[in-house]
């Protein structure tokens, strides 16, 4: 698989870049980055080859099969669209885009040109997630009625990319973070968003950037599953993983399931006892799954699921934007 990288404004893309370097069936053809400081930093850190002077040159290169995108959030949608228009498959850091009209165009191009779009939704690869899905599918807790998750992050103001706090570049904390959680609830329960009860974003911790809504909460219905979530940049400094960093609960008629990223297990609470299922760390397999997506083979991620998760989160973000003070 021949891949070119476009945009390194968020550090998440570096893990994919490293994976591509190490993957035996992936060749990196080159990179492009518009921001001078970011480009120089990546050259120094990764010795990356920025052989494309423009994004147009990258997406028009006939040797490129896949474009990997990691630019600032509000720029991503148009980069994805341009790649698709030029017949390239895409793999993108989350979020894929920040506007529903961009998502409509991405979906149209995917269908028109028979292309695939992958997104770095790595929580699907956790063994805790697959075990929870398996338990719910087996009827271990009966019909799921309530789900909740927290995906709290540390603000780390001094380490965050400065564009987070620049107007018009971020696109919303719900869209930024909650796409992971909503996608995982969809993956585990098979349910989709049917109603947004309330959604709110506000500024509480980012005192140096008072216009940045760093906190975010919402309540929604997913086909009869009442979902609540907090994805605020509210986590304190801590040497390790806080329990509120990707913590999930699912309550059914006959029991409860709990897991989080900090613990290597999935817990089933039922009939007065807790049964623990040990889970191992599993590395994300984007570069194994993307060729399967292109070939139409089953895999953990697929374009339709990715686009639907992005759409549902954008709808929740939109609801929050309409009430944010």
């Amino acid at each position: 698989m021949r891949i070119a990288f476009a945009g390194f404004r968020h550090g998440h893309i570096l893990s994919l870049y490293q994976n591509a370097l190490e993957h035996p069936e992936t060749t990196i053809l080159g990179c492009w980055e518009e921001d001078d400081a970011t480009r120089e930093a990546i050259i120094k850190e990764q010795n990356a080859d920025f052989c494309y002077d423009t994004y147009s040159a990258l997406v028009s290169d006939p040797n490129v099969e896949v474009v990997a995108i990691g630019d600032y959030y509000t720029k991503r949608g148009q980069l994805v669209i341009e790649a698709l228009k030029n017949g390239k498959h895409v793999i993108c850091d989350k979020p894929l885009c920040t506007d529903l009209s961009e998502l409509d165009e991405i979906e149209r191009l995917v269908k028109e040109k028979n292309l695939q779009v992958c997104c770095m939704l790595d929580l699907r690869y956790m063994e805790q997630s697959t075990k929870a899905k398996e338990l719910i599918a087996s009827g271990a807790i009966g019909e799921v009625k309530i789900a909740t998750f927290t995906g709290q992050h540390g603000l780390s103001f001094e380490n965050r990319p400065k564009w987070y706090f620049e107007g018009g570049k971020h696109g919303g904390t719900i869209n930024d973070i909650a796409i992971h959680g909503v996608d995982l609830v969809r993956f585990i329960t098979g349910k989709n968003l049917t109603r947004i009860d309330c959604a709110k974003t506000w500024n509480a911790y980012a005192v140096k950037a008072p216009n940045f809504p760093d906190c975010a909460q919402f309540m929604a219905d997913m086909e009869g599953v009442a979902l609540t979530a907090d994805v605020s940049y509210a986590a304190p400094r801590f040497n390790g993983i806080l329990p509120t960093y990707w913590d999930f609960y699912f309550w059914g008629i006959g029991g409860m399931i709990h897991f989080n990223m900090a613990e290597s297990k999935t817990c089933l609470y039922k009939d007065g006892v807790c049964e623990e299922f040990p889970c191992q760390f599993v590395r994300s397999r984007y570069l194994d799954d993307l060729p399967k997506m292109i070939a139409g083979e089953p895999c953990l991620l697929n374009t339709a699921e990715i686009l639907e998760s992005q759409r549902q989160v954008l709808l929740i973000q939109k609801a929050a934007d309409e009430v944010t003070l």
Side-chain angles (χ1 to χ4, degrees):
M1 186 166 61
R2 300 185 302 275
I3 188 169
F5 281 76
F8 290 82
R9 300 293 295 277
H10 197 295
H12 285 170
I13 200 67
L14 293 177
S15 65
L16 183 65
Y17 183 83
Q18 190 61 41
N19 290 348
L21 284 174
E22 298 168 358
H23 197 278
E25 297 181 10
T26 299
T27 301
I28 300 176
L29 296 184
C31 307
W32 169 81
E33 170 57 62
E34 186 175 47
D35 182 72
D36 293 340
T38 302
R39 184 172 60 252
E40 292 306 313
I42 300 302
I43 291 172
K44 183 178 180 180
E45 295 170 14
Q46 303 289 333
N47 195 30
D49 181 12
F50 287 85
C51 59
Y52 297 103
D53 294 330
T54 64
Y55 185 61
S56 177
L58 185 153
V59 295
S60 62
D61 182 349
N63 294 311
V64 173
E65 295 177 293
V66 178
V67 179
I69 295 172
D71 218 309
Y72 63 81
Y73 295 158
T74 57
K75 191 173 181 178
R76 290 180 182 179
Q78 287 305 310
L79 295 181
V80 173
I81 288 167
E82 287 305 309
L84 294 172
K85 284 181 176 179
N86 281 270
K88 313 300 183 186
H89 303 289
V90 169
I91 181 167
C92 187
D93 175 33
K94 61 77 203 166
L96 190 66
C97 60
T98 59
D99 188 271
L100 284 163
S101 64
E102 291 177 335
L103 186 62
D104 289 340
E105 179 66 0
I106 290 168
E107 191 167 31
R108 185 189 70 79
L109 288 166
V110 160
K111 293 176 181 177
E112 176 187 297
K113 295 181 174 290
N114 193 28
L115 294 167
Q116 302 298 321
V117 172
C118 187
C119 191
M120 294 169 65
L121 298 173
D122 53 352
L123 297 191
R124 284 196 178 213
Y125 292 95
M126 292 170 54
E127 273 196 6
Q128 295 96 317
S129 307
T130 53
K131 174 52 69 174
K133 179 179 177 66
E134 176 186 306
L135 289 169
I136 287 173
S138 73
I141 61 172
E143 184 180 359
V144 178
K145 291 294 186 180
I146 302 172
T148 187
F149 68 83
T150 56
Q152 292 184 348
H153 287 54
L155 182 63
S156 302
F157 189 88
E158 65 279 9
N159 296 321
R160 290 279 164 196
K162 296 301 179 277
W163 56 259
Y164 261 60
F165 312 107
E166 296 174 9
K169 289 186 176 180
H170 185 260
T173 296
I174 291 173
N175 191 45
D176 174 8
I177 301 178
I179 185 169
H180 277 301
V182 170
D183 179 72
L184 203 63
V185 172
R186 294 185 62 245
F187 172 68
I188 290 172
T189 67
K191 304 295 187 180
N192 286 299
L193 181 71
T194 46
R195 185 181 69 247
I196 301 165
D197 297 304
C198 60
K200 178 183 178 182
T201 62
W202 73 101
N203 177 277
Y205 295 89
V207 294
K208 296 180 181 179
N211 294 318
F212 177 65
D214 54 294
C215 289
Q217 297 176 344
F218 59 90
M219 297 176 62
D221 182 85
M222 299 184 75
E223 298 182 71
V225 176
L227 173 65
T228 61
D230 185 307
V231 291
S232 301
Y233 281 101
R237 291 183 182 275
F238 183 72
N239 292 326
I241 300 177
L242 285 168
T244 53
Y245 182 74
W246 298 127
D247 191 41
F248 289 83
Y249 290 85
F250 297 87
W251 288 269
I253 293 295
M256 182 186 80
I257 292 170
H258 170 249
F259 66 89
N260 66 40
M261 188 174 279
E263 300 175 336
S264 299
K265 61 184 179 180
T266 297
C267 296
L268 170 63
Y269 297 86
K270 184 178 181 181
D271 299 327
V273 298
C274 172
E275 185 176 1
E276 295 185 356
F277 298 88
C279 297
Q280 302 297 317
F281 171 78
V282 178
R283 186 175 182 177
S284 301
R285 301 185 301 274
Y286 308 118
L287 298 180
D288 293 327
D289 280 356
L290 183 53
K292 293 179 182 178
M293 291 169 61
I294 293 170
E297 299 172 3
C299 58
L300 203 58
L301 289 164
N302 66 67
T303 298
E305 284 288 293
I306 289 165
L307 297 183
E308 185 57 37
S309 289
Q310 181 65 83
R311 182 173 299 280
Q312 292 181 25
V313 172
L314 279 172
L315 288 170
I316 300 170
Q317 180 67 62
K318 181 180 178 183
D321 291 342
E322 291 172 352
V323 301
T324 296
L325 300 178

